[in-house]
Amino acid sequence: MPPRKLTQRSRIREGRPFPLGATWDGLGVNFSLYSANATQVELCLFDERNRETERIVLPEYTDEIWHGYLPDARPGQRYGYRVHGPYAPDAGHRFNPNKLLLDPYAKQIVGQLKWAPQLFGYTLGHKDKDLSFDRRDSAAFMPRSAVIDPAFTWGQDRRPHVPWQHTVIYEAHVRGLSMRHPAVPEEERGTFSALRNDALVEHIKGLGVTSVELLPVHAYVDDSQLLDRGLRNYWGYNTIGFFAPQARYMATRTVAEFKQMVARLHNAGLEVILDVVYNHTAEGNELGPTLSFKGIDNASYYRLADDRRYYINDTGTGNTFDLTNAGALRMVLDSLRYWVLEMHVDGFRFDLATILGRERYGFDPSGSFLDAVRQDPVLSQTKLIAEPWDVGPGGYQVGGFPPGWAEWNDHFRDNVRAFWRGDAGQLAELATRLTGSADLFRHKGRRPHASVNFITAHDGFTLNDLVTYDNKHNEANGEDNHDGSDNNISANYGVEGPTDDVAIIGTRRQQMRNLLATLLLSQGTPMLLAGDEFGHSQGGNNNAYCQDNETTWIDWEAAQLAPAADQARFVRRLLSLRRRYPLLHRSRFFDGEYDEALGFRDVTWLAPHGEEMTPEQWQDANAHALMMRLDGRAPASGLRQVAANVTLLMLLNADPVNSVEFQLPAMHDEHWRVLIDTARHGGRAVPGGSPWTAPPRSLALLAVERDRIASSAKVAPDGGMLPH
């Protein structure tokens, strides 16, 4: 049957096409919706009990935008749209006014999606599948868009503006970080309010990281197949509202809660970076539900195949957002600017970012979206991080993004994992990864910080599991352990999973220290996965996207005990050294050129016997040991960067069995001070020119400082921090 008729009571005026969305101006609300192919748009109003009270035809259509102004509407008003037009899937159109639709620009979404056949534009089970037309009303199963009052007193809020070369990213999940924290009130756990908690903020700040990167917080949908298995979408890569915070993360049910969180983190000097998913939506392919974009203007928002009934699926999730369309591109840019200008976030990590740069002919670093962001006076000044791959043709683009972007560097991840596991032939590449991956990023004026280095991330093993499991263990996901990557470059060192064997436990802890030290002492932008500072385990699950439970939630009580607390202290020590020595976070790539006046190179690669590495040694597949000397007195890219007359020496021995004797460089009768030693822990001074025995699987960082660096905090002999 056709949609039921409701009497229109509210006054409706012409209104304005911009800004898009529902905008409260203090007197009323302007409603504006983009749809290039619709024939009519109805605004549907709901009361607080979610009963539909009115349907109002938007009276004006300007430049492909439908709009109207309601002087009687106020913040808190719940609403949705019913959009009329052709239902012609073969032509790419899927209009169905029987389906209530979320506003793409909704600043808040209230209520939960309830999976039901009525959500689909076609009749489930029909012999013609999506070519059929479903006439049932979906409103009873849909959440609602809500009008907000954006007013908020930011007070003295100031963005930290952390320079890229000083940036250290902490990747975290709102719920995973706070659900088991004893200092967080139970009613606030798993919400933005929890991230304002002093104890939690002080831990993050105390580690020495500078920027908190939150997994998706945009409003998203729980997949029906997960709910059927008693699970739900934990990571949040299933967005349906790109302006609205996820309701599950709001203890107060108000958008202001997110702003309060940002203000608290800023007050602690921490940046807020959001993981965002503009490559696809929760509506899936032609057999997916009609929730918003599909019913508003399917042919404009999505990339369609030559047979326009079907979707291009470069994301592996069923659909792909079409950023070659002006309306879709505008929505994404408006969303990004909203989160920067109104919500005060400091940057974004873009999921499957290759899609954002893909034109009809393929990936283009000067594509519509990438060029638009680069010239935007707001967005170009934020931190922009790409996950530089997708599953489409030519989808792997590490190093291929334009200036102004940083990128996840999986070359770093894979090489460092393989090196410390003891794999053959890793040494030459390791030198490139330690020094910022110039082979990938040194072009067009890009700097080492463009390489976002990581060992682990939300997707894959945690650090603990990387050294505890040979294989993934994803049985709890309900997919017969077929999901998740099989290429983990991991090792269990004798037993699969937890063990009481003291030797195996010792090896695993030392390997975690080696991996952490390599990550946090390398050139580039390090990213630390929340929980890795404690050795958090997910029980071998390397695809915990649906585990919103103790599998993924950090156990803060266990984190206070040894050895977890010892590992956290080790992370703090590493980051204190990274801050102390500019040589460890240079703003320019090393040149490796010899300076005749000083008699040094900025970086020198030494074999264990103390002589410079030869081409034959670099090519030795069985070589596992190396010394890297960084000298603060050498020039960098023609500009002298004096680092308080400091020379640093990193010694790496990844041989799983044999100790290696290194001959330390002689430094004019000066002593090398031991800053880090992953095998022995204790610090000491060692004469230049003397031998150093590095046990199997160990890393050490040594320093000669001729002029002490002025600092309010001194580094203790063991690399820890002494009181002021």
Side-chain angles (χ1 to χ4, degrees):
M1 61 173 58
R4 63 194 183 96
K5 298 295 183 181
L6 295 173
T7 302
Q8 178 176 322
R9 301 188 305 274
S10 299
R11 297 173 292 161
I12 185 72
R13 300 176 184 170
E14 176 180 331
R16 305 180 307 278
F18 295 101
L20 286 155
T23 306
W24 161 247
D25 63 7
L27 298 174
V29 178
N30 192 79
F31 293 89
S32 177
L33 182 74
Y34 163 78
S35 179
N37 295 293
T39 57
Q40 179 178 287
V41 173
E42 290 180 296
L43 171 67
C44 304
L45 303 181
F46 295 84
D47 62 21
E48 291 186 355
R49 297 175 63 183
N50 284 326
R51 295 177 300 188
E52 190 171 4
T53 58
E54 285 186 79
R55 293 185 190 175
I56 304 168
V57 175
L58 293 183
E60 291 295 331
Y61 182 56
T62 304
D63 296 334
E64 300 182 331
I65 295 173
W66 302 81
H67 54 96
Y69 181 85
L70 285 184
D72 302 319
R74 295 290 182 269
Q77 175 65 62
R78 301 181 182 190
Y79 71 100
Y81 289 109
R82 298 180 187 274
V83 181
H84 298 254
Y87 187 83
D90 286 335
H93 300 306
R94 296 179 178 271
F95 295 102
N96 187 336
N98 301 286
K99 309 305 170 183
L100 183 71
L101 306 173
L102 292 169
D103 181 359
Y105 279 72
K107 306 304 189 300
Q108 185 171 6
I109 294 175
V110 297
Q112 293 184 342
L113 183 77
K114 301 174 184 177
W115 285 99
Q118 288 87 338
L119 294 174
F120 296 79
Y122 65 98
T123 303
L124 288 178
H126 195 281
K127 63 181 179 64
D128 293 327
K129 296 184 178 179
D130 61 302
L131 297 179
S132 63
F133 185 78
D134 191 88
R135 298 182 180 278
R136 291 172 291 182
D137 191 343
S138 69
F141 308 95
M142 283 289 294
R144 312 287 191 251
S145 305
V147 179
I148 70 163
D149 183 346
F152 182 79
T153 302
W154 283 99
Q156 299 300 312
D157 182 63
R158 296 291 183 271
R159 301 179 191 277
H161 289 299
V162 179
W164 261 116
Q165 67 266 29
H166 298 302
T167 300
V168 179
I169 297 170
Y170 186 72
E171 189 197 36
H173 190 287
V174 172
R175 287 177 64 78
L177 197 59
S178 64
M179 283 298 292
R180 302 180 71 183
H181 199 296
V184 177
E186 283 197 29
E187 66 274 13
E188 294 183 354
R189 293 179 183 179
T191 70
F192 300 126
S193 290
L195 271 63
R196 295 186 290 121
N197 181 273
D198 288 344
L200 192 51
V201 173
E202 287 167 8
H203 167 76
I204 298 170
K205 178 68 175 177
L207 282 175
V209 301
T210 67
S211 311
V212 179
E213 181 178 302
L214 296 176
L215 266 69
V217 300
H218 290 171
Y220 62 85
V221 169
D222 285 316
D223 315 68
S224 60
Q225 65 270 25
L226 291 180
L227 295 175
D228 291 342
R229 299 202 297 266
L231 303 168
R232 67 181 184 184
N233 191 316
Y234 173 65
W235 286 349
Y237 293 93
N238 204 24
T239 310
I240 197 59
F242 293 99
F243 292 76
Q246 173 71 352
R248 187 181 300 163
Y249 300 159
M250 295 191 291
T252 63
R253 304 302 178 193
T254 64
V255 173
E257 183 177 337
F258 182 91
K259 299 179 180 180
Q260 292 164 355
M261 175 198 72
V262 171
R264 175 66 182 92
L265 292 172
H266 280 180
N267 182 256
L270 295 166
E271 293 182 315
V272 178
I273 297 172
L274 299 186
D275 192 339
V276 289
V277 192
Y278 293 107
N279 56 75
H280 75 282
T281 78
E283 292 186 299
N285 62 13
E286 68 278 0
L287 300 179
T290 297
L291 309 175
S292 181
F293 307 93
K294 186 179 289 186
I296 291 171
D297 197 346
N298 185 70
S300 293
Y301 277 114
Y302 294 116
R303 293 190 64 205
L304 304 178
D306 291 339
D307 182 343
R308 296 180 65 76
R309 176 183 175 184
Y310 301 103
Y311 295 77
I312 290 174
N313 186 21
D314 290 340
T315 64
T317 61
N319 65 52
T320 304
F321 223 63
D322 187 3
L323 295 188
T324 66
N325 173 273
L329 176 61
R330 177 175 53 210
M331 192 280 293
V332 171
L333 294 172
D334 286 349
S335 170
L336 290 169
R337 279 190 293 265
Y338 173 77
W339 288 96
V340 174
L341 296 175
E342 294 293 329
M343 309 296 258
H344 284 207
V345 305
D346 303 284
F348 305 92
R349 178 266 187 189
F350 293 84
D351 179 64
L352 302 182
T354 299
I355 284 169
L356 308 180
R358 182 176 277 116
E359 300 294 304
R360 300 292 181 187
Y361 49 83
F363 177 80
D364 185 345
S366 293
S368 301
F369 172 78
L370 296 178
D371 271 357
V373 169
R374 189 176 180 185
Q375 63 77 44
D376 189 284
V378 172
L379 301 179
S380 63
Q381 301 306 304
T382 64
K383 284 189 165 73
L384 303 169
I385 303 170
E387 181 186 35
W389 49 75
D390 64 25
V391 300
Y396 188 77
Q397 292 293 332
V398 176
F401 276 71
W405 284 76
E407 304 173 37
W408 274 24
N409 185 355
D410 63 334
H411 289 264
F412 182 95
R413 176 197 65 195
D414 294 349
N415 171 247
V416 172
R417 286 186 179 191
F419 173 76
W420 284 113
R421 191 172 67 171
D423 293 11
Q426 301 299 317
L427 203 62
E429 184 181 351
L430 180 72
T432 303
R433 303 299 155 235
L434 290 173
T435 52
S437 297
D439 60 329
L440 300 171
F441 300 106
R442 191 172 189 172
H443 59 90
K444 297 185 178 180
R446 301 181 79 184
R447 301 294 181 89
H449 66 245
S451 175
V452 175
N453 301 329
F454 65 106
I455 304 294
T456 58
H458 68 275
D459 188 0
F461 279 148
T462 66
L463 184 66
N464 183 299
D465 292 353
L466 187 67
V467 300
T468 304
Y469 296 92
D470 274 351
N471 304 298
K472 65 185 182 185
H473 295 271
N474 299 353
E475 291 81 5
N477 294 354
E479 301 178 43
D480 297 323
N481 206 32
H482 294 312
D483 62 304
S485 175
D486 292 311
N487 182 31
N488 297 295
I489 319 180
S490 64
N492 64 28
Y493 300 102
V495 174
E496 186 76 352
T499 181
D500 294 326
D501 189 298
V502 175
I504 294 174
I505 292 172
T507 297
R508 290 173 177 176
R509 291 175 184 169
Q510 185 160 316
Q511 286 289 68
M512 284 194 281
R513 289 193 294 270
N514 290 329
L515 291 162
L516 287 166
T518 307
L519 171 66
L520 300 178
L521 300 178
S522 291
Q523 305 295 316
T525 303
M527 184 182 78
L528 179 70
L529 174 64
D532 277 356
E533 71 267 35
F534 302 125
H536 171 69
S537 173
Q538 293 179 168
N541 192 321
N542 75 349
N543 188 36
Y545 75 103
C546 56
Q547 298 297 324
D548 189 1
N549 50 50
E550 293 186 358
T551 300
T552 52
W553 301 342
I554 296 172
D555 184 348
W556 288 91
E557 291 187 357
Q560 306 310 309
L561 307 175
D566 294 336
Q567 185 157 307
R569 280 193 292 270
F570 183 70
V571 170
R572 289 194 290 270
R573 182 193 312 175
L574 289 169
L575 287 173
S576 72
L577 292 170
R578 185 179 179 89
R579 290 192 303 276
R580 178 177 174 85
Y581 296 108
L583 277 175
L584 296 174
H585 56 263
R586 287 164 45 107
S587 62
R588 294 178 174 83
F589 287 102
F590 291 103
D591 281 334
E593 296 178 359
Y594 186 79
D595 185 279
E596 295 287 350
L598 296 174
F600 289 102
R601 292 182 174 88
D602 52 5
V603 60
T604 306
W605 303 101
L606 303 171
H609 56 73
E611 299 296 325
E612 290 195 36
M613 291 281 289
T614 65
E616 294 75 21
Q617 289 169 324
W618 282 120
Q619 294 166 13
D620 183 356
N622 295 315
H624 298 282
L626 179 70
M627 286 191 287
M628 177 179 69
R629 186 175 71 191
L630 308 180
D631 201 287
R633 296 174 294 169
S637 301
L639 297 175
R640 191 175 301 275
Q641 287 192 336
V642 178
N645 236 352
V646 173
T647 300
L648 297 177
L649 186 68
M650 186 182 295
L651 302 91
L652 305 101
N653 176 25
D655 192 297
V657 177
N658 300 306
S659 296
V660 171
E661 184 172 286
F662 289 98
Q663 189 68 31
L664 300 181
M667 298 300 290
H668 307 291
D669 297 326
E670 295 170 308
H671 283 62
W672 291 98
R673 194 157 59 97
V674 182
L675 304 177
I676 289 290
D677 183 352
T678 63
R680 301 182 182 91
H681 311 300
R684 59 195 183 282
V686 184
S690 63
W692 170 283
T693 301
R697 299 188 177 113
S698 66
L699 178 152
L701 181 69
L702 285 64
V704 168
E705 295 181 77
R706 297 158 195 87
D707 298 318
R708 296 289 176 173
I709 300 173
S711 174
S712 60
K714 305 298 184 183
V715 178
D718 66 352
M721 300 302 292
L722 292 175
H724 293 181

